[in-house]
């Protein structure tokens, strides 16, 4: 469901209407990193996480951020009543179940922002919170729009039987679903990128107006072989729709990047995580392209 905007855009032919054809490649833990795909010319756009993107740029990849689907990040720490983890200091000496490297990076960045040592035990886990229920760890890194819904469907009550603490709220502020491309693409095919963004913005706008469409598309078409739960997918979509807008800037277009947020809290988190020689933010992000795309859309799609 985190790609609801794309599914609606594909279903409604929104990219084609903007004059661009889109080929979609699946990602996931077994796929090559987006930065590698971009550098190799195997993809022209891709979703990245903040700190891994900075690492890719530091290694010499000339890549740029152009949009962010979720200004508020739903990634956080899920814990049970027997061992609540609700602040950065609760991470110390904890056994934490993590689906992959990006989640571990978020833990370390949160500790660094709080001035605490990176003293915790990482335990491998999949995308189900069941190992947490089985007592295999003290906490699980997951999404408020996903794994918490699974727990609630099992009868557990949030803030009583289990707790969720977003990294955004305990020290490490970041976007979710950052869209990256190469500088060469920005220079030579800017209009294609603008067309893509218009289609994607429209897809997310229609998803907010028709929240039952994307879950059906995910279950029946784009994720048909994943065994997705229709009720869970709908619940996830309803929870994530508000996360696509800036709570303090409701009139800002969907997908827009915020310079102050990036230069402030996000750069602070990166420095705390060890990225000392950060370039000027304009070398990492194009803040105008979303607004150029928005200029070609009806107001109700912004």
């Amino acid at each position: 469901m985190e790609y609801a905007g794309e599914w609606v855009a594909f279903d409604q032919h929104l990219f084609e209407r903007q004059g661009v054809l889109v080929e979609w490649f699946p990602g996931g833990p077994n796929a090559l990193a987006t930065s590698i795909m971009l550098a190799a010319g195997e993809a022209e756009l891709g979703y990245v996480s903040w700190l891994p993107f900075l690492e890719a740029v530091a290694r010499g990849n000339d890549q740029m951020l152009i949009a962010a689907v979720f200004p508020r990040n739903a990634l956080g720490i899920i814990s049970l009543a027997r061992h609540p983890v609700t602040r950065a200091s609760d991470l110390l000496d904890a056994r934490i179940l993590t689906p992959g490297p990006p989640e571990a990076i978020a833990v370390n960045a949160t500790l660094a922002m709080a001035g605490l040592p990176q003293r915790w035990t990482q335990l491998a886990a999949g995308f189900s919170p069941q190992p947490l229920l089985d007592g295999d760890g003290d906490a699980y890194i997951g999404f408020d729009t996903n794994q918490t819904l699974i727990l609630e469907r099992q009868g557990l009550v949030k803030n009583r039987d289990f707790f969720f603490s977003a990294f955004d709220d305990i020290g490490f502020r970041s976007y979710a679903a950052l869209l990256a491309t190469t500088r060469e693409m920005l220079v030579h095919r800017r209009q294609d990128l603008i067309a893509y963004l218009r289609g994607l913005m429209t897809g997310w706008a229609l998803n907010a107006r028709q929240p039952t469409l994307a879950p059906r598309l995910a279950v029946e078409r784009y994720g048909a072989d994943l065994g997705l739960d229709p009720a869970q997918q709908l619940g996830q979509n309803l929870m994530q729709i508000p996360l696509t807008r800036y709570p303090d800037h409701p009139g800002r277009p969907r997908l827009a990047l915020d310079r102050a947020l990036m230069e402030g809290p996000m750069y602070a988190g990166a420095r705390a995580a060890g990225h000392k020689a950060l370039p000027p933010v304009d070398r990492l992000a194009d803040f105008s392209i979303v607004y150029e795309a928005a200029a070609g859309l009806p107001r109700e799609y912004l």
Side-chain angles (χ1 to χ4, degrees):
M1 269 299 88
E2 62 266 39
Y3 305 112
E6 275 89 356
W7 306 151
V8 174
F10 286 137
D11 182 68
Q12 302 295 311
H13 306 288
L14 301 178
F15 296 125
E16 291 93 331
R17 292 181 189 178
Q18 294 297 333
V20 63
L21 297 178
V22 178
E23 184 178 4
W24 179 267
F25 297 93
N30 297 320
L32 287 174
T34 297
S35 60
I36 296 175
M37 295 286 285
L38 292 175
E42 297 295 325
E44 295 162 327
L45 285 166
Y47 286 109
V48 298
S49 297
W50 174 232
L51 294 182
F53 169 77
L54 291 179
E55 292 171 3
V57 171
R59 290 194 296 267
N61 293 289
D62 198 8
Q63 298 171 4
M64 296 278 289
L65 302 173
I66 62 171
V69 175
F70 299 109
R72 295 291 296 178
N73 198 328
L75 184 68
I77 305 159
I78 302 171
S79 58
L80 301 180
R82 63 174 177 254
H83 190 143
V85 177
T86 59
R87 54 189 178 180
S89 59
D90 293 334
L91 295 168
L92 289 174
D93 299 315
R95 299 172 302 133
I96 304 176
L97 298 152
T98 61
E103 291 78 17
I105 292 172
V107 174
N108 286 331
T110 300
L111 289 167
M113 283 291 289
L116 298 170
Q118 296 178 0
R119 198 176 72 229
W120 61 286
T121 301
Q122 181 181 0
L123 302 174
F127 295 99
S128 167
Q130 188 60 44
L132 176 64
L133 298 178
D134 293 339
D136 295 342
D138 301 313
Y140 173 90
I141 307 301
F143 292 90
D144 197 23
T145 53
N146 189 344
Q147 285 83 7
T148 62
L149 297 177
I150 295 174
L151 295 177
E152 288 178 336
R153 287 176 62 81
Q154 295 184 26
L156 279 71
V157 178
K158 194 175 188 179
N159 296 326
R160 187 192 73 185
D161 302 318
F162 74 93
F163 301 89
F164 175 82
S165 299
F167 286 112
D168 272 8
D169 296 328
I170 62 172
F172 178 53
R173 184 76 173 88
S174 66
Y175 285 117
L178 280 161
L179 194 59
T181 188
T182 63
R183 191 180 305 275
E184 181 181 9
M185 185 79 175
L186 266 173
V187 171
H188 297 292
R189 296 184 59 192
R190 188 176 187 87
Q191 291 306 312
D192 286 340
L193 293 174
I194 289 173
Y196 179 85
L197 291 174
R198 284 177 181 158
L200 185 58
M201 293 168 74
T202 305
W204 278 105
L206 294 180
N207 180 60
R209 292 162 60 180
Q210 306 173 36
T212 61
L213 174 58
R216 179 173 58 81
L217 294 172
V219 171
E220 298 178 2
R221 188 183 307 174
Y222 299 108
D225 58 345
L226 301 178
L228 300 174
D229 183 307
Q232 190 275 337
Q233 292 292 288
L234 175 59
Q236 178 176 341
N237 198 31
L238 292 173
M239 288 187 70
Q240 75 181 1
I241 286 172
L243 301 179
T244 64
R245 309 309 299 264
Y246 287 86
D248 48 349
H249 297 284
R252 182 172 290 167
R254 285 179 172 84
L255 307 183
L257 296 170
D258 185 302
R259 182 188 301 274
L261 173 60
M262 292 183 67
E263 286 185 320
M266 289 177 62
Y267 261 38
R271 292 188 183 98
H275 295 271
K276 303 302 183 184
L278 291 172
V281 72
D282 286 295
R283 287 182 54 191
L284 298 178
D286 185 318
F287 294 96
S288 64
I289 191 168
V290 165
Y291 288 90
E292 293 176 43
L297 289 176
R299 184 171 182 82
E300 61 265 27
Y301 292 158
L302 304 182

